Amino acid sequence: MSAEIQTQMITVEIMGKQYQVPDGMTVISTMWYTGHQLTRGVGCLGGVCGACATVYRNKDDFALKVGLGCQMRVEDGMSFFMTPYYPAAKPNYRIEEIEHPKEELFKYFPEALNCRNCNACNKVCPQDIDIKGAVKDAVKGDFAAAADKALSCVMCGLCVSRCIAEMAPNMIALYARRTWSVFYATKHERLDMQMERIRSGYWNDEWEKIFALDEAGMKEYCKSRR
Amino acid sequence: MDPLLERYLGVIEVSRKHRMAQAVPLLRDQEKEALLAAYHPDYKKEAYRPIRFGPNAGAETVHELARLLEADSPLVAKPANLSRADYEVDVLVLGGGGSGATAALAAKDAGASVMIATKLRMGDSNTVMAEGGIQVAVKEDDSPIQHFVDAMHGGHYKNDPRLLKVLVEDGPFVVDWLDSIGVLFDRDQDGNLKVKKGGGTSRARLLACKDYTGLDMMRVLKDTVLNEPAIQIVEFAPAIELLTDPSGAVTGAVLQNLDVDQRIVVRAKSIIVATGGIGRLHIQNFPTSNHFGATGDALPLCYRVGAPLAYPGTFQYHPTGAIHPEQMAGLLVTEAIRSGGAHLVNKNGERFVNELEARDVVCAAIIRECAEGRGIDSPFGRHGVWLDIPVIDAMNGDGVVHRRYPGMVRKYGRHGIDIGKQPVLIYPTLHYQNGGVEIGVNAETRVPGLYVSGEASGGIHGTNRLMGNSLLDIIVFGRRAGKAAAERAKAVGFGELTINHLDGFHKAMTDAGVTPDAVSPMILPDYVRRPDNAGNLPG
Ligand SMILES: Cc1cc2nc3c(=O)[nH]c(=O)nc-3n(C[C@H](O)[C@H](O)[C@H](O)COP(=O)(O)OP(=O)(O)OC[C@H]3O[C@@H](n4cnc5c(N)ncnc54)[C@H](O)[C@@H]3O)c2cc1C
Ligand code: SF4
Ligand code: SF4
Ligand code: FES
């Protein structure tokens, strides 16, 4: 959408070059504003897909930081570049072939035991997830806790890039979430009941009635049931 | 504090008590019609024109889409070498979102060799962004019939009843399947599936993973696909043309490698188009909630091989898209917040519509407030009204907002806004294509070999989709498409790869006196600022 912009200009540095941009934009909109064409590094533009990992440094600060480029506001003096791809490995497992999820965790992710508590993963996580805690929960067998902690993980892989024990904490947490849901979470009687009714044609007469209606009849029927 | 908010906080807080006691009546049918006709973008005549040729000749749609439907194939300016195929598979799935992933898994389960070609990374999609939930009738007081009734009413009675019956009856089985691959839906105290109330429904039937429903579904679907070595995935390779044999059946596709200047030819026995929605066309200049790749590619691709579209002229504008602070523009404020009791408030501190009205009605009301000077301007030239979220805590107790909407709290929290305490500025955002390629109950189109599932398809939701029915339809019809496509692949051999369909297309174009002024599909929106593309802000 086009708009009249009424804010101050700031100076940012992209891969070593300086640009003037209006204050209040994200890393990605700054890239576009300064003429960069992007194919990689952009996904949802809404902070949930993890495509836009960005490495940056603030003015007069020594530390290199990372964040999601579609969510981060650029600030005056900030220097950044986007890192579109991590070639992280992932073990293959089929959920239907798993029998004992808690033991098999160590078959698929033997490195899960090697966590050295450095906390680098937690510090880097743009979703503020206690991902170190989730790995520890999974190792202890508390999959419910791991599942809960990792709900908002966008799989950006930033924790993987920092882990000194060479593990993929996000993949471990996802394994815990999936297997928790399949093997341990409570089952739903109502869902079973509903499926049984559909299978047995419980509403067939009603459907017949509905499909015999003309447009006016359909309107009347639906309105009367609401 | 944000200066804009500072200016208005007084008005909002002073009026809150009064608003809490106030009952805003639901509009009568006639009042709704009048409001929609005056302010809903779907009713704006200047925004529409007839499509001049092809299967939907004469039907009206928005200029942005008509132009792409009448545009030429990229293979005209730069032909592809069709004498050999880079890949041969039983089933080619275009689109790596929720519906594509589901279709691929279903096709593989039915014994087919499968390839997914997608525009961005696998899973970068509208699906991953869905927050509110998925509608399925699972409670005692609910039934597929009741679900059907609500969707029919919401869809203005334009839904294809056969498709809708399939949607509501497959629903519980789909939840069971998602559960079996590890999607973790919220439970209530007794361990059963927890349901929330969504806009426009007569029962509470939204299942959710807090406000990360699409994220959990997509994460699990993607992981399931990645764990299947039998499914090949090619990323950053959008389809730019379908291929046909002399009988008109679809036999393959040409993909564009976005990393290097190269085309990829795929031969397949069946093709499932699951390329999602159109938000990035920025119809009528609206901001959008959609992901970067949502440029409606299915529509011109399928139109050119002769598949008619259902309701190509109706779009859904989500009432509550963020417009301020600027770095959040376009981002959706989940509808669960509106249905959970938040107030819509104009610049005078007044409510102006019952927040539980259907989406189109709420949108029209917000647009009316702004058009009549009761909106609020953002520093980047956008305008909107307030969504008073803190009223939820005022009604239900402190901390409710933080507990129920952790995703939203985090997104605003990054920019120093605590939605438990501060209202936010919103405006309708282009959200969903209600129509799409016309399909039957197994996601088949009128073109042999061509299946369409998910947001790219049309007919299920009539002219207005209810919240939560899309996450359901992408899985229901994705599974059906995968199965049907795999069955077809068992019955037919590989076909010839041609672009003969373009002959008929070009003839119809010439007969209609049309000279195309664009090439489609669009593939990616262009936000790069240049002299000829100035001040074009995404969002
Ligand atoms: C912010 C947001 C919130 C939402 N909330 C809800 C909700 O709470 N409940 C609900 O039911 N619905 C919701 N929806 C709608 C719902 O999420 C989508 O309609 C649905 O997920 C679409 O799924 P899909 O698989 O059809 O398309 P998508 O998930 O968008 O997947 C399409 C895929 O195809 C790719 N693609 C595009 N063009 C091409 C091409 N030419 N070749 C190859 N690949 C291509 C895309 O990049 C993408 O990966 C929401 C949508 C958004 C944007
Ligand atoms: S846990 Fe790791 S992959 Fe998940 S969001 Fe945090 S940093 Fe990204
Ligand atoms: S980065 Fe790796 S080693 Fe360090 S705390 Fe996290 S999981 Fe453990
Ligand atoms: S683009 Fe998806 S998280 Fe930034």
Side-chain angles (χ1 to χ4, degrees), chain A residues 1 32 35-38, chain B residues 280 282 292 295 522-530 532-538:
Chain A
M1 77 171 264
W32 282 321
H36 293 82
Q37 192 90 46
L38 299 173
Chain B
R280 294 278 153 197
H282 292 292
F292 188 46
T295 50
M522 179 187 276
I523 305 297
L524 289 175
D526 183 7
Y527 297 126
V528 177
R529 195 176 62 112
R530 287 185 307 267
D532 64 324
N533 201 16
N536 203 19
L537 289 177

Short mmCIF file of all heavy atoms in Angstrom, two decimals, chain A residues 1 32 35-38, chain B residues 280 282 292 295 522-530 532-538:
data_model
loop_
_atom_site.label_atom_id
_atom_site.label_comp_id
_atom_site.label_asym_id
_atom_site.label_seq_id
_atom_site.Cartn_x
_atom_site.Cartn_y
_atom_site.Cartn_z
N MET A 1 0.84 -1.20 0.00
CA MET A 1 0.00 0.00 0.00
C MET A 1 0.87 1.23 0.00
O MET A 1 1.95 1.25 0.56
CB MET A 1 -0.96 -0.04 1.18
CG MET A 1 -0.43 0.28 2.55
SD MET A 1 -1.82 0.42 3.67
CE MET A 1 -2.09 2.19 3.68
N TRP A 32 13.91 -3.84 1.27
CA TRP A 32 13.16 -3.45 0.07
C TRP A 32 13.30 -1.95 -0.17
O TRP A 32 13.48 -1.50 -1.30
CB TRP A 32 11.68 -3.83 0.21
CG TRP A 32 11.43 -5.28 -0.05
CD1 TRP A 32 12.02 -6.06 -0.99
CD2 TRP A 32 10.52 -6.14 0.65
NE1 TRP A 32 11.53 -7.34 -0.94
CE2 TRP A 32 10.61 -7.42 0.06
CE3 TRP A 32 9.63 -5.97 1.71
CZ2 TRP A 32 9.84 -8.50 0.49
CZ3 TRP A 32 8.87 -7.04 2.14
CH2 TRP A 32 8.98 -8.29 1.54
N GLY A 35 16.31 -1.06 -1.96
CA GLY A 35 16.50 -1.57 -3.31
C GLY A 35 16.97 -3.01 -3.42
O GLY A 35 17.32 -3.46 -4.51
N HIS A 36 16.97 -3.75 -2.32
CA HIS A 36 17.39 -5.15 -2.39
C HIS A 36 16.23 -6.05 -2.82
O HIS A 36 15.14 -5.95 -2.27
CB HIS A 36 17.91 -5.63 -1.03
CG HIS A 36 19.17 -4.97 -0.59
ND1 HIS A 36 19.17 -3.73 0.02
CD2 HIS A 36 20.46 -5.36 -0.67
CE1 HIS A 36 20.43 -3.39 0.30
NE2 HIS A 36 21.23 -4.36 -0.12
N GLN A 37 16.50 -6.94 -3.74
CA GLN A 37 15.50 -7.91 -4.18
C GLN A 37 15.65 -9.15 -3.29
O GLN A 37 16.76 -9.62 -3.11
CB GLN A 37 15.78 -8.29 -5.63
CG GLN A 37 14.70 -9.07 -6.32
CD GLN A 37 13.70 -8.15 -7.00
OE1 GLN A 37 14.10 -7.22 -7.66
NE2 GLN A 37 12.42 -8.40 -6.80
N LEU A 38 14.56 -9.67 -2.74
CA LEU A 38 14.68 -10.83 -1.86
C LEU A 38 13.85 -12.00 -2.36
O LEU A 38 12.69 -11.82 -2.71
CB LEU A 38 14.19 -10.49 -0.45
CG LEU A 38 14.90 -9.38 0.32
CD1 LEU A 38 14.15 -9.10 1.62
CD2 LEU A 38 16.33 -9.80 0.64
N ARG B 280 -1.28 -11.31 -1.58
CA ARG B 280 -0.20 -10.43 -2.05
C ARG B 280 -0.54 -9.72 -3.36
O ARG B 280 0.30 -8.99 -3.89
CB ARG B 280 1.11 -11.21 -2.16
CG ARG B 280 1.62 -11.68 -0.79
CD ARG B 280 2.36 -10.59 -0.05
NE ARG B 280 2.30 -10.77 1.40
CZ ARG B 280 2.58 -9.81 2.29
NH1 ARG B 280 2.95 -8.61 1.89
NH2 ARG B 280 2.48 -10.04 3.57
N HIS B 282 -2.74 -7.56 -3.18
CA HIS B 282 -3.14 -6.28 -2.58
C HIS B 282 -4.34 -5.67 -3.30
O HIS B 282 -4.32 -4.52 -3.74
CB HIS B 282 -1.97 -5.29 -2.57
CG HIS B 282 -0.87 -5.68 -1.65
ND1 HIS B 282 -1.02 -5.68 -0.28
CD2 HIS B 282 0.38 -6.13 -1.88
CE1 HIS B 282 0.10 -6.09 0.30
NE2 HIS B 282 0.96 -6.39 -0.66
N PHE B 292 4.37 -14.26 2.01
CA PHE B 292 5.02 -13.61 0.87
C PHE B 292 4.67 -14.26 -0.47
O PHE B 292 4.68 -13.62 -1.52
CB PHE B 292 6.54 -13.68 1.12
CG PHE B 292 7.38 -12.90 0.16
CD1 PHE B 292 7.06 -11.60 -0.21
CD2 PHE B 292 8.55 -13.46 -0.37
CE1 PHE B 292 7.87 -10.88 -1.07
CE2 PHE B 292 9.37 -12.75 -1.22
CZ PHE B 292 9.02 -11.45 -1.58
N THR B 295 0.27 -15.23 -4.10
CA THR B 295 -0.03 -14.38 -5.25
C THR B 295 -1.07 -15.03 -6.17
O THR B 295 -1.15 -14.69 -7.34
CB THR B 295 1.25 -14.07 -6.04
OG1 THR B 295 1.94 -15.30 -6.28
CG2 THR B 295 2.16 -13.14 -5.28
N MET B 522 2.13 -14.45 -11.00
CA MET B 522 2.95 -13.34 -10.53
C MET B 522 4.22 -13.81 -9.82
O MET B 522 5.24 -13.15 -9.86
CB MET B 522 2.12 -12.49 -9.58
CG MET B 522 2.87 -11.32 -9.00
SD MET B 522 1.90 -10.47 -7.75
CE MET B 522 0.92 -9.41 -8.71
N ILE B 523 4.15 -14.95 -9.14
CA ILE B 523 5.26 -15.57 -8.38
C ILE B 523 5.60 -14.80 -7.10
O ILE B 523 5.43 -15.32 -6.02
CB ILE B 523 6.53 -15.76 -9.23
CG1 ILE B 523 6.20 -16.55 -10.49
CG2 ILE B 523 7.61 -16.47 -8.44
CD1 ILE B 523 5.70 -17.96 -10.27
N LEU B 524 6.11 -13.58 -7.21
CA LEU B 524 6.39 -12.83 -5.99
C LEU B 524 5.98 -11.37 -6.16
O LEU B 524 6.11 -10.81 -7.25
CB LEU B 524 7.89 -12.89 -5.64
CG LEU B 524 8.42 -14.23 -5.16
CD1 LEU B 524 9.93 -14.18 -4.98
CD2 LEU B 524 7.76 -14.69 -3.86
N PRO B 525 5.48 -10.76 -5.09
CA PRO B 525 5.13 -9.33 -5.18
C PRO B 525 6.42 -8.51 -5.23
O PRO B 525 7.47 -8.97 -4.80
CB PRO B 525 4.38 -9.07 -3.87
CG PRO B 525 4.91 -10.10 -2.92
CD PRO B 525 5.26 -11.30 -3.74
N ASP B 526 6.32 -7.33 -5.78
CA ASP B 526 7.50 -6.49 -5.93
C ASP B 526 7.42 -5.30 -4.97
O ASP B 526 6.64 -4.39 -5.17
CB ASP B 526 7.56 -5.99 -7.38
CG ASP B 526 8.82 -5.17 -7.64
OD1 ASP B 526 9.68 -5.10 -6.75
OD2 ASP B 526 8.92 -4.59 -8.74
N TYR B 527 8.20 -5.35 -3.92
CA TYR B 527 8.18 -4.26 -2.94
C TYR B 527 9.43 -3.40 -3.01
O TYR B 527 9.63 -2.53 -2.18
CB TYR B 527 8.05 -4.81 -1.52
CG TYR B 527 6.77 -5.55 -1.27
CD1 TYR B 527 6.77 -6.86 -0.77
CD2 TYR B 527 5.55 -4.94 -1.52
CE1 TYR B 527 5.59 -7.53 -0.54
CE2 TYR B 527 4.36 -5.61 -1.29
CZ TYR B 527 4.38 -6.91 -0.80
OH TYR B 527 3.22 -7.57 -0.57
N VAL B 528 10.31 -3.72 -3.96
CA VAL B 528 11.57 -2.98 -4.02
C VAL B 528 11.29 -1.54 -4.45
O VAL B 528 10.62 -1.29 -5.45
CB VAL B 528 12.54 -3.66 -5.00
CG1 VAL B 528 13.82 -2.86 -5.11
CG2 VAL B 528 12.84 -5.07 -4.53
N ARG B 529 11.80 -0.57 -3.69
CA ARG B 529 11.56 0.83 -4.01
C ARG B 529 12.46 1.26 -5.16
O ARG B 529 13.67 1.08 -5.11
CB ARG B 529 11.83 1.70 -2.78
CG ARG B 529 11.27 3.11 -2.91
CD ARG B 529 11.51 3.85 -1.64
NE ARG B 529 12.93 3.96 -1.39
CZ ARG B 529 13.60 5.11 -1.44
NH1 ARG B 529 12.98 6.24 -1.70
NH2 ARG B 529 14.90 5.13 -1.21
N ARG B 530 11.85 1.74 -6.19
CA ARG B 530 12.58 2.24 -7.36
C ARG B 530 11.82 3.46 -7.82
O ARG B 530 10.71 3.72 -7.36
CB ARG B 530 12.51 1.19 -8.49
CG ARG B 530 13.35 -0.04 -8.30
CD ARG B 530 13.27 -0.91 -9.57
NE ARG B 530 11.90 -1.20 -9.94
CZ ARG B 530 11.24 -2.27 -9.56
NH1 ARG B 530 11.84 -3.17 -8.81
NH2 ARG B 530 9.99 -2.46 -9.92
N ASP B 532 10.05 3.85 -10.33
CA ASP B 532 8.71 3.52 -10.82
C ASP B 532 7.89 2.74 -9.80
O ASP B 532 6.81 2.29 -10.07
CB ASP B 532 8.84 2.67 -12.10
CG ASP B 532 9.51 1.33 -11.82
OD1 ASP B 532 10.42 1.30 -10.96
OD2 ASP B 532 9.13 0.32 -12.43
N ASN B 533 8.40 2.56 -8.62
CA ASN B 533 7.69 1.74 -7.64
C ASN B 533 7.86 2.39 -6.26
O ASN B 533 8.28 1.77 -5.30
CB ASN B 533 8.27 0.32 -7.64
CG ASN B 533 7.32 -0.70 -7.06
OD1 ASN B 533 6.13 -0.43 -6.93
ND2 ASN B 533 7.84 -1.87 -6.72
N ALA B 534 7.59 3.69 -6.19
CA ALA B 534 7.95 4.44 -5.00
C ALA B 534 6.94 4.30 -3.87
O ALA B 534 5.75 4.14 -4.11
CB ALA B 534 8.10 5.91 -5.36
N GLY B 535 7.44 4.36 -2.67
CA GLY B 535 6.58 4.42 -1.50
C GLY B 535 5.65 3.23 -1.36
O GLY B 535 4.59 3.32 -0.78
N ASN B 536 6.04 2.10 -1.93
CA ASN B 536 5.20 0.93 -1.88
C ASN B 536 5.52 0.15 -0.61
O ASN B 536 6.50 -0.56 -0.56
CB ASN B 536 5.50 0.08 -3.12
CG ASN B 536 4.36 -0.83 -3.45
OD1 ASN B 536 3.24 -0.60 -3.01
ND2 ASN B 536 4.64 -1.85 -4.24
N LEU B 537 4.70 0.32 0.40
CA LEU B 537 5.02 -0.34 1.66
C LEU B 537 4.34 -1.70 1.74
O LEU B 537 3.15 -1.82 1.46
CB LEU B 537 4.53 0.50 2.84
CG LEU B 537 5.30 1.78 3.10
CD1 LEU B 537 4.65 2.52 4.25
CD2 LEU B 537 6.74 1.45 3.44
N PRO B 538 5.08 -2.73 2.11
CA PRO B 538 4.44 -4.04 2.29
C PRO B 538 3.54 -3.99 3.52
O PRO B 538 3.51 -3.01 4.23
CB PRO B 538 5.61 -4.98 2.51
CG PRO B 538 6.70 -4.12 3.04
CD PRO B 538 6.49 -2.76 2.44
#
